[in-house]
Amino acid sequence: TVIFGSYLIAHGFFSVYAMCVDTLFLCFCEDLERNDGSAEKPYFMSPELHRILGRQEWSPRKANG
C-alpha cells in the first residue's frame, strides 16, 4: 500500500513538473515566432533562457564583392 501510494504521489508530482516544462517550451516557441529581438519587438524571455536553449541569432552573411 505504501509503495503504491508513493508511486501515485510521485507520478502526480512529475506530471505537474512535465506540464510546466512543456508550457515553458511553448512560450519560448511563441516568443520566437512573434518577436525578432529588435528594439521594436524584443524577446520576452530572459537572456539566460535564450542561452540555455541554444538559440543563436542567425544573421545573413554579406556577399563579398
Side-chain angles (χ1 to χ4, degrees):
T1 308
V2 173
I3 293 173
F4 182 69
S6 299
Y7 172 77
L8 287 178
I9 291 171
H11 180 69
F13 174 77
F14 286 118
S15 294
V16 171
Y17 183 76
M19 187 178 3
C20 291
V21 171
D22 289 343
T23 303
L24 283 174
F25 282 131
L26 284 173
C27 291
F28 175 77
C29 292
E30 190 67 25
D31 192 21
L32 288 177
E33 186 175 312
R34 291 184 182 217
N35 302 310
D36 58 4
S38 65
E40 296 83 27
K41 294 171 110 181
Y43 291 126
F44 288 107
M45 71 187 93
S46 66
E48 293 85 22
L49 178 64
H50 204 262
R51 182 183 54 79
I52 288 170
L53 293 176
R55 176 69 182 185
Q56 297 178 357
E57 293 300 319
W58 296 99
S59 58
R61 294 181 181 218
K62 294 182 179 179
N64 294 332

Short mmCIF file of all heavy atoms in Angstrom, two decimals:
data_model
loop_
_atom_site.label_atom_id
_atom_site.label_comp_id
_atom_site.label_asym_id
_atom_site.label_seq_id
_atom_site.Cartn_x
_atom_site.Cartn_y
_atom_site.Cartn_z
N THR A 1 0.83 -1.19 0.00
CA THR A 1 0.00 0.00 0.00
C THR A 1 0.88 1.26 0.00
O THR A 1 0.57 2.22 -0.71
CB THR A 1 -0.93 0.02 1.23
OG1 THR A 1 -1.64 -1.21 1.29
CG2 THR A 1 -1.90 1.17 1.17
N VAL A 2 1.93 1.23 0.80
CA VAL A 2 2.83 2.40 0.87
C VAL A 2 3.53 2.61 -0.46
O VAL A 2 3.66 3.75 -0.93
CB VAL A 2 3.85 2.21 2.01
CG1 VAL A 2 4.89 3.32 1.99
CG2 VAL A 2 3.15 2.18 3.36
N ILE A 3 3.98 1.55 -1.08
CA ILE A 3 4.66 1.67 -2.38
C ILE A 3 3.71 2.21 -3.44
O ILE A 3 4.07 3.10 -4.22
CB ILE A 3 5.25 0.31 -2.80
CG1 ILE A 3 6.37 -0.09 -1.84
CG2 ILE A 3 5.77 0.37 -4.23
CD1 ILE A 3 6.90 -1.48 -2.07
N PHE A 4 2.50 1.70 -3.47
CA PHE A 4 1.51 2.18 -4.44
C PHE A 4 1.17 3.65 -4.19
O PHE A 4 1.09 4.45 -5.13
CB PHE A 4 0.25 1.31 -4.37
CG PHE A 4 -0.79 1.70 -5.37
CD1 PHE A 4 -0.58 1.49 -6.72
CD2 PHE A 4 -1.97 2.31 -4.97
CE1 PHE A 4 -1.53 1.86 -7.66
CE2 PHE A 4 -2.92 2.69 -5.89
CZ PHE A 4 -2.71 2.46 -7.24
N GLY A 5 0.98 4.03 -2.94
CA GLY A 5 0.69 5.42 -2.60
C GLY A 5 1.86 6.33 -2.97
O GLY A 5 1.66 7.44 -3.48
N SER A 6 3.08 5.86 -2.72
CA SER A 6 4.26 6.65 -3.07
C SER A 6 4.35 6.84 -4.58
O SER A 6 4.71 7.92 -5.06
CB SER A 6 5.52 5.95 -2.58
OG SER A 6 5.50 5.82 -1.18
N TYR A 7 4.03 5.78 -5.31
CA TYR A 7 4.05 5.87 -6.77
C TYR A 7 3.04 6.91 -7.26
O TYR A 7 3.36 7.73 -8.14
CB TYR A 7 3.75 4.51 -7.40
CG TYR A 7 3.57 4.60 -8.89
CD1 TYR A 7 4.66 4.71 -9.74
CD2 TYR A 7 2.29 4.60 -9.45
CE1 TYR A 7 4.49 4.81 -11.11
CE2 TYR A 7 2.11 4.69 -10.81
CZ TYR A 7 3.21 4.80 -11.64
OH TYR A 7 3.03 4.90 -12.99
N LEU A 8 1.84 6.89 -6.71
CA LEU A 8 0.82 7.85 -7.14
C LEU A 8 1.23 9.28 -6.84
O LEU A 8 1.04 10.19 -7.67
CB LEU A 8 -0.51 7.54 -6.46
CG LEU A 8 -1.25 6.30 -6.96
CD1 LEU A 8 -2.54 6.09 -6.16
CD2 LEU A 8 -1.56 6.43 -8.44
N ILE A 9 1.81 9.52 -5.68
CA ILE A 9 2.26 10.87 -5.33
C ILE A 9 3.39 11.32 -6.25
O ILE A 9 3.39 12.45 -6.76
CB ILE A 9 2.68 10.92 -3.85
CG1 ILE A 9 1.44 10.75 -2.97
CG2 ILE A 9 3.39 12.22 -3.53
CD1 ILE A 9 1.74 10.56 -1.50
N ALA A 10 4.37 10.44 -6.48
CA ALA A 10 5.49 10.78 -7.36
C ALA A 10 5.00 11.02 -8.79
O ALA A 10 5.45 11.96 -9.45
CB ALA A 10 6.54 9.67 -7.33
N HIS A 11 4.10 10.18 -9.25
CA HIS A 11 3.57 10.34 -10.60
C HIS A 11 2.83 11.67 -10.74
O HIS A 11 3.00 12.38 -11.74
CB HIS A 11 2.64 9.18 -10.95
CG HIS A 11 2.05 9.26 -12.31
ND1 HIS A 11 2.81 9.09 -13.44
CD2 HIS A 11 0.79 9.50 -12.73
CE1 HIS A 11 2.04 9.23 -14.50
NE2 HIS A 11 0.81 9.48 -14.09
N GLY A 12 2.05 12.03 -9.75
CA GLY A 12 1.35 13.31 -9.78
C GLY A 12 2.31 14.48 -9.79
O GLY A 12 2.14 15.45 -10.53
N PHE A 13 3.35 14.41 -8.97
CA PHE A 13 4.34 15.48 -8.91
C PHE A 13 5.06 15.63 -10.26
O PHE A 13 5.19 16.73 -10.79
CB PHE A 13 5.36 15.19 -7.81
CG PHE A 13 6.49 16.17 -7.77
CD1 PHE A 13 6.32 17.43 -7.23
CD2 PHE A 13 7.72 15.82 -8.31
CE1 PHE A 13 7.37 18.33 -7.21
CE2 PHE A 13 8.77 16.72 -8.29
CZ PHE A 13 8.60 17.98 -7.74
N PHE A 14 5.52 14.53 -10.82
CA PHE A 14 6.25 14.60 -12.08
C PHE A 14 5.35 14.97 -13.25
O PHE A 14 5.82 15.56 -14.23
CB PHE A 14 7.00 13.30 -12.35
CG PHE A 14 8.22 13.15 -11.48
CD1 PHE A 14 8.32 12.12 -10.58
CD2 PHE A 14 9.25 14.08 -11.54
CE1 PHE A 14 9.43 11.99 -9.76
CE2 PHE A 14 10.38 13.96 -10.74
CZ PHE A 14 10.47 12.91 -9.84
N SER A 15 4.08 14.67 -13.18
CA SER A 15 3.15 15.10 -14.22
C SER A 15 3.02 16.62 -14.23
O SER A 15 3.02 17.25 -15.30
CB SER A 15 1.78 14.47 -14.01
OG SER A 15 1.84 13.08 -14.19
N VAL A 16 2.92 17.22 -13.05
CA VAL A 16 2.85 18.68 -12.95
C VAL A 16 4.16 19.29 -13.43
O VAL A 16 4.17 20.29 -14.16
CB VAL A 16 2.53 19.12 -11.51
CG1 VAL A 16 2.67 20.62 -11.34
CG2 VAL A 16 1.12 18.67 -11.13
N TYR A 17 5.28 18.72 -13.04
CA TYR A 17 6.59 19.21 -13.46
C TYR A 17 6.71 19.14 -14.99
O TYR A 17 7.16 20.10 -15.62
CB TYR A 17 7.68 18.38 -12.80
CG TYR A 17 9.07 18.84 -13.11
CD1 TYR A 17 9.61 19.97 -12.52
CD2 TYR A 17 9.85 18.13 -14.03
CE1 TYR A 17 10.89 20.39 -12.82
CE2 TYR A 17 11.13 18.55 -14.33
CZ TYR A 17 11.65 19.67 -13.72
OH TYR A 17 12.91 20.08 -14.02
N ALA A 18 6.32 18.04 -15.60
CA ALA A 18 6.40 17.90 -17.05
C ALA A 18 5.50 18.91 -17.76
O ALA A 18 5.88 19.46 -18.80
CB ALA A 18 6.02 16.48 -17.45
N MET A 19 4.33 19.18 -17.19
CA MET A 19 3.44 20.16 -17.79
C MET A 19 4.06 21.56 -17.73
O MET A 19 3.94 22.32 -18.69
CB MET A 19 2.09 20.16 -17.07
CG MET A 19 1.08 21.03 -17.75
SD MET A 19 -0.58 21.09 -17.03
CE MET A 19 -0.54 20.12 -15.61
N CYS A 20 4.75 21.87 -16.66
CA CYS A 20 5.41 23.18 -16.54
C CYS A 20 6.53 23.31 -17.58
O CYS A 20 6.67 24.37 -18.21
CB CYS A 20 5.97 23.37 -15.14
SG CYS A 20 4.72 23.56 -13.88
N VAL A 21 7.30 22.27 -17.78
CA VAL A 21 8.37 22.29 -18.77
C VAL A 21 7.79 22.44 -20.18
O VAL A 21 8.29 23.24 -20.98
CB VAL A 21 9.25 21.03 -18.66
CG1 VAL A 21 10.22 20.93 -19.82
CG2 VAL A 21 9.99 21.03 -17.33
N ASP A 22 6.73 21.72 -20.48
CA ASP A 22 6.08 21.85 -21.78
C ASP A 22 5.56 23.27 -22.00
O ASP A 22 5.68 23.81 -23.11
CB ASP A 22 4.92 20.87 -21.90
CG ASP A 22 5.39 19.43 -22.01
OD1 ASP A 22 6.57 19.21 -22.33
OD2 ASP A 22 4.56 18.52 -21.78
N THR A 23 5.00 23.86 -20.97
CA THR A 23 4.48 25.23 -21.08
C THR A 23 5.61 26.21 -21.34
O THR A 23 5.46 27.13 -22.16
CB THR A 23 3.72 25.62 -19.80
OG1 THR A 23 2.67 24.69 -19.59
CG2 THR A 23 3.14 27.01 -19.92
N LEU A 24 6.75 26.03 -20.68
CA LEU A 24 7.89 26.92 -20.93
C LEU A 24 8.38 26.79 -22.37
O LEU A 24 8.70 27.81 -23.01
CB LEU A 24 9.03 26.58 -19.97
CG LEU A 24 8.86 27.09 -18.55
CD1 LEU A 24 9.98 26.56 -17.67
CD2 LEU A 24 8.85 28.61 -18.53
N PHE A 25 8.45 25.58 -22.90
CA PHE A 25 8.87 25.41 -24.28
C PHE A 25 7.87 26.03 -25.26
O PHE A 25 8.27 26.63 -26.26
CB PHE A 25 9.08 23.94 -24.62
CG PHE A 25 10.39 23.40 -24.10
CD1 PHE A 25 10.43 22.22 -23.40
CD2 PHE A 25 11.57 24.07 -24.33
CE1 PHE A 25 11.62 21.71 -22.93
CE2 PHE A 25 12.78 23.57 -23.86
CZ PHE A 25 12.81 22.39 -23.17
N LEU A 26 6.59 25.90 -24.99
CA LEU A 26 5.59 26.53 -25.85
C LEU A 26 5.72 28.05 -25.83
O LEU A 26 5.62 28.71 -26.87
CB LEU A 26 4.19 26.12 -25.42
CG LEU A 26 3.77 24.71 -25.82
CD1 LEU A 26 2.42 24.36 -25.18
CD2 LEU A 26 3.67 24.60 -27.32
N CYS A 27 5.94 28.61 -24.64
CA CYS A 27 6.12 30.06 -24.53
C CYS A 27 7.38 30.50 -25.26
O CYS A 27 7.41 31.55 -25.90
CB CYS A 27 6.16 30.48 -23.08
SG CYS A 27 4.59 30.32 -22.23
N PHE A 28 8.44 29.70 -25.16
CA PHE A 28 9.69 30.00 -25.86
C PHE A 28 9.46 30.03 -27.37
O PHE A 28 9.87 30.97 -28.06
CB PHE A 28 10.73 28.95 -25.49
CG PHE A 28 12.02 29.08 -26.23
CD1 PHE A 28 12.94 30.05 -25.90
CD2 PHE A 28 12.32 28.21 -27.27
CE1 PHE A 28 14.14 30.16 -26.58
CE2 PHE A 28 13.50 28.31 -27.95
CZ PHE A 28 14.42 29.29 -27.60
N CYS A 29 8.78 29.03 -27.88
CA CYS A 29 8.50 28.97 -29.33
C CYS A 29 7.60 30.12 -29.77
O CYS A 29 7.82 30.71 -30.84
CB CYS A 29 7.87 27.63 -29.68
SG CYS A 29 8.98 26.24 -29.50
N GLU A 30 6.61 30.44 -28.98
CA GLU A 30 5.71 31.54 -29.32
C GLU A 30 6.46 32.88 -29.31
O GLU A 30 6.23 33.74 -30.16
CB GLU A 30 4.54 31.58 -28.34
CG GLU A 30 3.44 32.52 -28.72
CD GLU A 30 2.69 32.10 -29.96
OE1 GLU A 30 2.66 30.90 -30.28
OE2 GLU A 30 2.12 32.99 -30.63
N ASP A 31 7.36 33.05 -28.35
CA ASP A 31 8.16 34.27 -28.29
C ASP A 31 9.04 34.40 -29.52
O ASP A 31 9.18 35.49 -30.09
CB ASP A 31 8.99 34.28 -27.01
CG ASP A 31 9.62 35.62 -26.70
OD1 ASP A 31 9.13 36.65 -27.21
OD2 ASP A 31 10.60 35.65 -25.93
N LEU A 32 9.64 33.30 -29.95
CA LEU A 32 10.48 33.34 -31.15
C LEU A 32 9.66 33.64 -32.40
O LEU A 32 10.13 34.30 -33.32
CB LEU A 32 11.21 32.01 -31.34
CG LEU A 32 12.33 31.72 -30.36
CD1 LEU A 32 12.89 30.33 -30.63
CD2 LEU A 32 13.42 32.76 -30.45
N GLU A 33 8.42 33.15 -32.42
CA GLU A 33 7.58 33.36 -33.59
C GLU A 33 7.06 34.80 -33.68
O GLU A 33 7.00 35.37 -34.75
CB GLU A 33 6.40 32.39 -33.54
CG GLU A 33 5.55 32.42 -34.78
CD GLU A 33 4.46 31.37 -34.73
OE1 GLU A 33 4.78 30.21 -34.42
OE2 GLU A 33 3.31 31.74 -35.00
N ARG A 34 6.69 35.37 -32.54
CA ARG A 34 6.09 36.70 -32.56
C ARG A 34 7.10 37.84 -32.51
O ARG A 34 6.80 38.94 -32.95
CB ARG A 34 5.14 36.86 -31.37
CG ARG A 34 3.91 36.02 -31.49
CD ARG A 34 2.98 36.29 -30.35
NE ARG A 34 1.81 35.42 -30.44
CZ ARG A 34 0.61 35.82 -30.12
NH1 ARG A 34 0.41 37.02 -29.66
NH2 ARG A 34 -0.40 34.99 -30.24
N ASN A 35 8.27 37.60 -31.95
CA ASN A 35 9.26 38.66 -31.76
C ASN A 35 10.54 38.29 -32.49
O ASN A 35 10.85 37.14 -32.69
CB ASN A 35 9.55 38.86 -30.27
CG ASN A 35 8.28 39.19 -29.52
OD1 ASN A 35 7.53 40.06 -29.91
ND2 ASN A 35 8.03 38.47 -28.45
N ASP A 36 11.28 39.35 -32.87
CA ASP A 36 12.53 39.11 -33.60
C ASP A 36 13.76 39.60 -32.86
O ASP A 36 14.86 39.54 -33.38
CB ASP A 36 12.46 39.73 -34.98
CG ASP A 36 12.20 41.23 -34.95
OD1 ASP A 36 12.13 41.81 -33.86
OD2 ASP A 36 12.06 41.81 -36.04
N GLY A 37 13.60 40.11 -31.64
CA GLY A 37 14.74 40.56 -30.85
C GLY A 37 15.17 41.98 -31.15
O GLY A 37 16.14 42.46 -30.57
N SER A 38 14.47 42.66 -32.02
CA SER A 38 14.82 44.04 -32.33
C SER A 38 14.30 44.96 -31.23
O SER A 38 13.63 44.53 -30.30
CB SER A 38 14.22 44.44 -33.69
OG SER A 38 12.81 44.44 -33.60
N ALA A 39 14.60 46.25 -31.35
CA ALA A 39 14.15 47.22 -30.34
C ALA A 39 12.63 47.36 -30.37
O ALA A 39 12.01 47.61 -29.33
CB ALA A 39 14.80 48.57 -30.59
N GLU A 40 12.01 47.20 -31.54
CA GLU A 40 10.56 47.32 -31.64
C GLU A 40 9.84 46.08 -31.12
O GLU A 40 8.74 46.16 -30.61
CB GLU A 40 10.14 47.56 -33.10
CG GLU A 40 10.63 48.85 -33.70
CD GLU A 40 12.05 48.73 -34.23
OE1 GLU A 40 12.48 47.62 -34.60
OE2 GLU A 40 12.75 49.76 -34.24
N LYS A 41 10.44 44.92 -31.31
CA LYS A 41 9.84 43.64 -30.90
C LYS A 41 10.85 42.81 -30.13
O LYS A 41 11.37 41.82 -30.62
CB LYS A 41 9.37 42.87 -32.13
CG LYS A 41 8.23 43.53 -32.88
CD LYS A 41 7.99 42.81 -34.18
CE LYS A 41 6.70 42.08 -34.09
NZ LYS A 41 6.39 41.34 -35.30
N PRO A 42 11.16 43.21 -28.89
CA PRO A 42 12.17 42.47 -28.13
C PRO A 42 11.63 41.12 -27.65
O PRO A 42 10.42 40.93 -27.53
CB PRO A 42 12.46 43.39 -26.95
CG PRO A 42 11.19 44.13 -26.74
CD PRO A 42 10.62 44.33 -28.13
N TYR A 43 12.55 40.21 -27.36
CA TYR A 43 12.16 38.93 -26.78
C TYR A 43 11.74 39.15 -25.33
O TYR A 43 12.29 39.99 -24.64
CB TYR A 43 13.31 37.94 -26.80
CG TYR A 43 13.70 37.47 -28.17
CD1 TYR A 43 15.01 37.56 -28.62
CD2 TYR A 43 12.77 36.90 -29.02
CE1 TYR A 43 15.36 37.12 -29.87
CE2 TYR A 43 13.11 36.45 -30.27
CZ TYR A 43 14.41 36.57 -30.69
OH TYR A 43 14.75 36.13 -31.94
N PHE A 44 10.74 38.40 -24.88
CA PHE A 44 10.30 38.47 -23.50
C PHE A 44 11.06 37.49 -22.62
O PHE A 44 11.04 37.60 -21.41
CB PHE A 44 8.80 38.22 -23.38
CG PHE A 44 7.99 39.37 -23.92
CD1 PHE A 44 7.32 39.25 -25.12
CD2 PHE A 44 7.91 40.54 -23.21
CE1 PHE A 44 6.57 40.30 -25.61
CE2 PHE A 44 7.16 41.60 -23.69
CZ PHE A 44 6.49 41.49 -24.89
N MET A 45 11.72 36.51 -23.23
CA MET A 45 12.46 35.52 -22.44
C MET A 45 13.73 36.15 -21.90
O MET A 45 14.23 37.13 -22.42
CB MET A 45 12.79 34.31 -23.30
CG MET A 45 13.86 34.56 -24.34
SD MET A 45 14.07 33.20 -25.42
CE MET A 45 12.97 33.66 -26.72
N SER A 46 14.21 35.56 -20.83
CA SER A 46 15.45 36.07 -20.24
C SER A 46 16.64 35.66 -21.12
O SER A 46 16.57 34.66 -21.83
CB SER A 46 15.62 35.50 -18.83
OG SER A 46 15.83 34.11 -18.89
N PRO A 47 17.71 36.42 -21.06
CA PRO A 47 18.90 36.04 -21.83
C PRO A 47 19.45 34.68 -21.41
O PRO A 47 20.00 33.95 -22.23
CB PRO A 47 19.90 37.15 -21.51
CG PRO A 47 19.07 38.31 -21.08
CD PRO A 47 17.86 37.73 -20.44
N GLU A 48 19.29 34.33 -20.13
CA GLU A 48 19.77 33.03 -19.66
C GLU A 48 19.01 31.89 -20.34
O GLU A 48 19.60 30.91 -20.76
CB GLU A 48 19.63 32.90 -18.14
CG GLU A 48 20.53 33.84 -17.36
CD GLU A 48 19.93 35.22 -17.19
OE1 GLU A 48 18.70 35.35 -17.27
OE2 GLU A 48 20.70 36.16 -16.97
N LEU A 49 17.68 32.03 -20.44
CA LEU A 49 16.89 31.01 -21.11
C LEU A 49 17.26 30.93 -22.58
O LEU A 49 17.38 29.84 -23.15
CB LEU A 49 15.39 31.30 -20.97
CG LEU A 49 14.45 30.32 -21.66
CD1 LEU A 49 14.58 28.94 -21.05
CD2 LEU A 49 13.02 30.81 -21.57
N HIS A 50 17.48 32.06 -23.19
CA HIS A 50 17.87 32.10 -24.59
C HIS A 50 19.19 31.37 -24.79
O HIS A 50 19.36 30.61 -25.74
CB HIS A 50 17.99 33.57 -25.02
CG HIS A 50 17.83 33.79 -26.47
ND1 HIS A 50 18.89 33.92 -27.31
CD2 HIS A 50 16.73 33.90 -27.24
CE1 HIS A 50 18.46 34.11 -28.53
NE2 HIS A 50 17.15 34.11 -28.52
N ARG A 51 20.13 31.57 -23.87
CA ARG A 51 21.44 30.93 -23.96
C ARG A 51 21.34 29.44 -23.65
O ARG A 51 21.94 28.61 -24.33
CB ARG A 51 22.40 31.60 -22.99
CG ARG A 51 23.81 31.04 -23.03
CD ARG A 51 24.71 31.70 -22.00
NE ARG A 51 24.16 31.65 -20.66
CZ ARG A 51 24.21 30.60 -19.85
NH1 ARG A 51 24.75 29.48 -20.26
NH2 ARG A 51 23.69 30.64 -18.64
N ILE A 52 20.58 29.07 -22.62
CA ILE A 52 20.46 27.67 -22.20
C ILE A 52 19.87 26.81 -23.31
O ILE A 52 20.31 25.70 -23.55
CB ILE A 52 19.62 27.55 -20.91
CG1 ILE A 52 20.40 28.09 -19.73
CG2 ILE A 52 19.19 26.12 -20.66
CD1 ILE A 52 19.57 28.24 -18.47
N LEU A 53 18.87 27.32 -23.98
CA LEU A 53 18.21 26.54 -25.02
C LEU A 53 18.98 26.54 -26.32
O LEU A 53 18.58 25.89 -27.29
CB LEU A 53 16.79 27.04 -25.23
CG LEU A 53 15.88 26.79 -24.03
CD1 LEU A 53 14.51 27.40 -24.27
CD2 LEU A 53 15.75 25.32 -23.72
N GLY A 54 20.09 27.26 -26.37
CA GLY A 54 20.98 27.18 -27.51
C GLY A 54 20.49 27.89 -28.75
O GLY A 54 20.93 27.60 -29.85
N ARG A 55 19.57 28.81 -28.59
CA ARG A 55 19.08 29.55 -29.75
C ARG A 55 20.08 30.65 -30.08
O ARG A 55 20.38 31.50 -29.27
CB ARG A 55 17.72 30.15 -29.41
CG ARG A 55 17.13 31.02 -30.48
CD ARG A 55 16.73 30.22 -31.68
NE ARG A 55 16.22 31.14 -32.68
CZ ARG A 55 15.71 30.78 -33.79
NH1 ARG A 55 15.59 29.52 -34.08
NH2 ARG A 55 15.27 31.66 -34.65
N GLN A 56 20.62 30.61 -31.28
CA GLN A 56 21.56 31.63 -31.70
C GLN A 56 20.92 32.47 -32.78
O GLN A 56 20.10 32.00 -33.55
CB GLN A 56 22.84 30.99 -32.25
CG GLN A 56 23.58 30.20 -31.21
CD GLN A 56 24.81 29.55 -31.80
OE1 GLN A 56 25.06 29.65 -32.99
NE2 GLN A 56 25.57 28.89 -30.97
N GLU A 57 21.31 33.71 -32.80
CA GLU A 57 20.79 34.61 -33.82
C GLU A 57 21.52 34.33 -35.13
O GLU A 57 22.74 34.28 -35.20
CB GLU A 57 21.04 36.07 -33.43
CG GLU A 57 20.24 36.49 -32.22
CD GLU A 57 18.75 36.35 -32.44
OE1 GLU A 57 18.27 36.70 -33.54
OE2 GLU A 57 18.08 35.87 -31.54
N TRP A 58 20.75 34.08 -36.16
CA TRP A 58 21.32 33.83 -37.47
C TRP A 58 21.21 35.10 -38.28
O TRP A 58 20.13 35.58 -38.55
CB TRP A 58 20.59 32.71 -38.18
CG TRP A 58 20.73 31.41 -37.48
CD1 TRP A 58 19.83 30.83 -36.65
CD2 TRP A 58 21.85 30.55 -37.52
NE1 TRP A 58 20.32 29.66 -36.17
CE2 TRP A 58 21.57 29.45 -36.69
CE3 TRP A 58 23.09 30.58 -38.16
CZ2 TRP A 58 22.46 28.41 -36.50
CZ3 TRP A 58 23.95 29.54 -37.98
CH2 TRP A 58 23.64 28.47 -37.15
N SER A 59 22.33 35.67 -38.64
CA SER A 59 22.30 36.85 -39.48
C SER A 59 22.80 36.48 -40.86
O SER A 59 23.74 35.70 -41.00
CB SER A 59 23.19 37.96 -38.89
OG SER A 59 24.51 37.49 -38.75
N PRO A 60 22.14 37.00 -41.89
CA PRO A 60 22.58 36.66 -43.24
C PRO A 60 23.98 37.19 -43.50
O PRO A 60 24.32 38.29 -43.09
CB PRO A 60 21.54 37.32 -44.14
CG PRO A 60 20.87 38.34 -43.30
CD PRO A 60 21.03 37.90 -41.87
N ARG A 61 24.78 36.37 -44.14
CA ARG A 61 26.16 36.80 -44.44
C ARG A 61 26.16 37.73 -45.65
O ARG A 61 25.41 37.53 -46.60
CB ARG A 61 27.04 35.59 -44.75
CG ARG A 61 27.21 34.71 -43.57
CD ARG A 61 28.11 33.56 -43.92
NE ARG A 61 28.24 32.70 -42.77
CZ ARG A 61 29.36 32.11 -42.43
NH1 ARG A 61 30.43 32.28 -43.16
NH2 ARG A 61 29.40 31.34 -41.37
N LYS A 62 26.99 38.73 -45.54
CA LYS A 62 27.09 39.67 -46.66
C LYS A 62 27.98 39.05 -47.73
O LYS A 62 29.00 38.45 -47.45
CB LYS A 62 27.69 40.99 -46.18
CG LYS A 62 26.78 41.73 -45.23
CD LYS A 62 27.40 43.04 -44.82
CE LYS A 62 26.44 43.76 -43.88
NZ LYS A 62 27.00 45.03 -43.44
N ALA A 63 27.56 39.23 -48.95
CA ALA A 63 28.33 38.70 -50.07
C ALA A 63 29.57 39.56 -50.28
O ALA A 63 29.51 40.79 -50.21
CB ALA A 63 27.48 38.70 -51.34
N ASN A 64 30.68 38.92 -50.46
CA ASN A 64 31.92 39.67 -50.73
C ASN A 64 31.92 40.13 -52.17
O ASN A 64 31.68 39.37 -53.08
CB ASN A 64 33.15 38.77 -50.49
CG ASN A 64 33.27 38.40 -49.03
OD1 ASN A 64 32.84 39.16 -48.17
ND2 ASN A 64 33.90 37.27 -48.75
N GLY A 65 32.25 41.42 -52.34
CA GLY A 65 32.38 41.91 -53.70
C GLY A 65 31.41 42.91 -54.10
O GLY A 65 30.57 43.52 -53.81
#
